Amino acid sequence: MTYPIEKIRADFPILNEKIRNKPLVYLDNAASCQKPQAVIDSLVHLYSHDYANVHRGVHTLSVRSTDLFEAAREKVKTFINAQSEKEIVFVRGATDAVNLVAQTYGKANIHTGDEIIITAMEHHSNIVPWQMLCEEKGAILKVAPMNLEGELLMPEFEALLNAKTKLVSVVHMSNALGTINPVEIIIELAHAQNIPVLLDGAQAIPHMAIDVQALDCDFYVFSGHKLYAPTGVGVLYGKQALLEAMPPYQGGGDMIRTVTFEKSTYAGLPHKFEAGTPSIAEVIGLGAAIDYLNSIGMEAIATHEAELLAYATEQALQIDGLKIIGEAKEKGGILSFTLHKIHPHDIGTMLDSLGIAIRAGHHCAMPVMDFYKVPATARASFAMYNTKAEIDVLMSGIRNLIAMFGQ
Ligand code: C6P
């Protein structure tokens, strides 16, 4: 079946926007994706007909909201093939999920002298929470190195695993480089030494089908807003036995069974980790985004985006003075680059004047910038609704820049 690109584009109203009198070319999807009408409609419908607080009321609207909210949990469960909806904890985003694991699993299981392994290509949200934990506990953060292509050095990673390692926390797909890590092998190696593995799936989740049972990861985290859903919602998947054994994260309403001034007892999974009124509409919007993605199919999306990346890479390689940062063999739809004489921020600003949205900066991955000895990169990132024609607009914009500034 041919990929229904025209239909998909028509489903995203913002793609009709003109930016500086030019058709919008939105290539900043790794920062946040745009929303299909189905997601927008789900929010409007909820607030127009069904909205109330969840898990709290016996009245009709509360029941309706609760049913929609829990149906979204079921959709997430099926989408990532978790075993049980108890394993799906709604959080604010990938960052919140990593912090939850650090503050609960980490506090309970990581002690002085223990080691946590991350990689050289992590986003700050998979570095800083572990640094904070290590500082508090006297534990040690180990960093598995990568090569200049942006690929993890597997023998070096393996050599870091030892009896002191208490957790491996690895990005599934790098936001700064596009690298897709060999997570199956990483998990196998870590599990051979009984070490649990957290995968940061913030970038991987919109681009490929994720099966947490097949991966056998212990934790998987992602944000809704990169998955065509609203901001303010994300998911922590954790194996049930691990989540059961972890202490709660925050205290408050909805996460308790009983409360007296002397002692409180906690709710079961997943509510134990969901203190306070959750992001109700955003969770329901995430459910609508998953329905939408399922209607297209993750395999079809992955194929389309792989074609976009191959095309963009081929075009970029023909531009003198353009250097691609991140050339792993296994890569998702991210093209990070520098231009010899032009600062990435100027690239971003000049491209914006042509209606093209990319991100310029360190991408919350400063150690990656240090590794490549650049202050920043320009990054074009592709989504299900992008086209080769848009990549042509990007490349012609880059050529114009070079013509203006020189190489
Ligand atoms: N990366 C980017 O432009 P939050 O902010 O919690 O939704 O996601 C954090 C996060 C975690 N891991 C990876 C690999 C990520 O890419 C991100 C977010 C955005 O690259 C914003 S910095």
Side-chain angles (χ1 to χ4, degrees):
M1 207 184 85
T2 48
Y3 188 70
I5 186 67
E6 291 308 328
K7 185 206 165 291
I8 291 171
R9 287 186 68 78
D11 287 338
F12 287 79
I14 205 168
L15 298 181
N16 294 320
E17 279 298 293
K18 294 267 186 301
I19 303 291
R20 299 175 189 276
N21 282 329
K22 306 268 181 357
L24 167 66
V25 174
Y26 188 77
L27 298 174
D28 193 18
N29 297 288
S32 204
C33 277
Q34 300 299 347
K35 318 304 170 199
Q37 191 64 49
V39 169
I40 300 167
D41 287 348
S42 77
L43 302 182
V44 173
H45 193 274
L46 175 78
Y47 284 129
S48 309
H49 299 287
D50 299 323
Y51 177 77
N53 210 331
V54 292
H55 305 141
R56 283 159 171 81
V58 291
H59 62 81
T60 302
L61 288 185
S62 180
V63 172
R64 277 194 209 161
S65 273
T66 303
D67 287 351
L68 288 165
F69 185 88
E70 290 305 327
R73 198 188 304 275
E74 193 66 33
K75 288 175 193 180
V76 173
K77 182 203 114 179
T78 309
F79 189 62
I80 62 170
N81 193 31
Q83 222 164 44
S84 158
E85 70 289 341
K86 292 181 180 168
E87 298 176 320
I88 306 300
V89 178
F90 287 124
V91 290
R92 279 192 303 127
T95 305
D96 197 25
V98 177
N99 278 279
L100 191 162
V101 177
Q103 292 302 312
T104 59
Y105 180 85
K107 277 204 174 144
N109 295 288
I110 291 164
H111 306 290
T112 311
D114 286 344
E115 296 177 2
I116 299 167
I117 299 178
I118 58 171
T119 76
M121 67 184 91
E122 300 304 328
H123 184 275
H124 296 165
S125 62
N126 198 28
I127 303 173
V128 186
W130 305 119
Q131 283 175 331
M132 290 162 69
L133 178 71
C134 286
E135 203 168 307
E136 194 183 321
K137 292 288 196 157
I140 301 150
L141 193 61
K142 296 274 178 175
V143 182
M146 62 180 172
N147 61 21
L148 273 177
E149 281 71 42
E151 292 166 328
L152 201 58
L153 296 173
M154 288 307 288
E156 282 78 352
F157 166 78
E158 192 174 354
L160 288 176
L161 296 167
N162 69 79
K164 286 184 281 180
T165 314
K166 290 291 145 52
L167 186 74
V168 170
S169 191
V170 172
V171 70
H172 192 171
M173 173 177 152
S174 155
N175 69 318
L177 304 169
T179 308
I180 297 173
N181 277 315
V183 290
E184 293 84 356
I185 303 171
I186 289 172
I187 292 166
E188 210 177 300
L189 290 169
H191 282 182
Q193 302 196 37
N194 288 322
I195 303 163
V197 179
L198 182 151
L199 295 182
D200 171 359
Q203 293 297 338
I205 192 89
H207 302 300
M208 60 185 91
I210 300 296
D211 181 334
V212 290
Q213 290 190 68
L215 285 169
D216 198 26
C217 55
D218 300 278
F219 300 105
Y220 198 94
V221 309
F222 62 93
S223 300
H225 70 97
K226 297 188 204 285
L227 192 65
Y228 308 95
T231 50
V233 57
V235 171
L236 165 66
Y237 158 82
K239 282 183 181 164
Q240 189 171 338
L242 280 171
L243 292 178
E244 301 270 17
M246 280 155 51
Y249 181 35
Q250 295 173 322
D254 223 23
M255 55 73 73
I256 49 83
R257 187 157 285 139
T258 60
V259 176
T260 67
F261 286 119
E262 288 69 41
K263 187 175 168 49
S264 300
T265 58
Y266 306 126
L269 291 177
H271 306 291
K272 178 171 90 173
F273 294 109
E274 294 179 355
T277 299
S279 302
I280 300 166
E282 292 75 7
V283 164
I284 292 167
L286 173 60
I290 288 174
D291 286 342
Y292 181 75
L293 285 162
N294 286 337
S295 76
I296 310 292
M298 291 310 291
E299 306 293 342
I301 292 169
T303 307
H304 175 69
E305 291 177 353
E307 280 170 19
L308 291 179
L309 177 68
Y311 183 68
T313 306
E314 182 194 303
Q315 298 295 311
L317 287 173
Q318 288 169 25
I319 299 182
D320 280 347
L322 185 153
K323 183 169 173 359
I324 297 177
I325 306 286
E327 295 180 288
K329 278 186 272 315
E330 295 297 326
K331 240 188 108 167
I334 281 179
L335 186 77
S336 256
F337 61 93
T338 55
L339 296 180
H340 184 44
K341 279 196 182 151
I342 314 174
H343 192 281
H345 286 148
D346 293 328
I347 302 174
T349 308
M350 298 298 291
L351 290 178
D352 179 62
S353 71
L354 303 172
I356 306 165
I358 60 151
R359 182 169 173 190
H362 54 61
H363 315 296
C364 301
M366 283 187 182
V368 175
M369 301 299 118
D370 290 345
F371 178 78
Y372 287 97
K373 299 188 174 48
V374 293
T377 72
R379 182 188 71 184
S381 50
F382 310 118
M384 65 191 295
Y385 41 65
N386 289 126
T387 62
K388 287 185 181 167
E390 289 181 306
I391 291 169
D392 290 341
V393 175
L394 170 70
M395 296 301 161
S396 118
I398 295 172
R399 283 182 204 279
N400 283 347
L401 277 184
I402 293 174
M404 275 166 62
F405 286 90
Q407 273 181 30

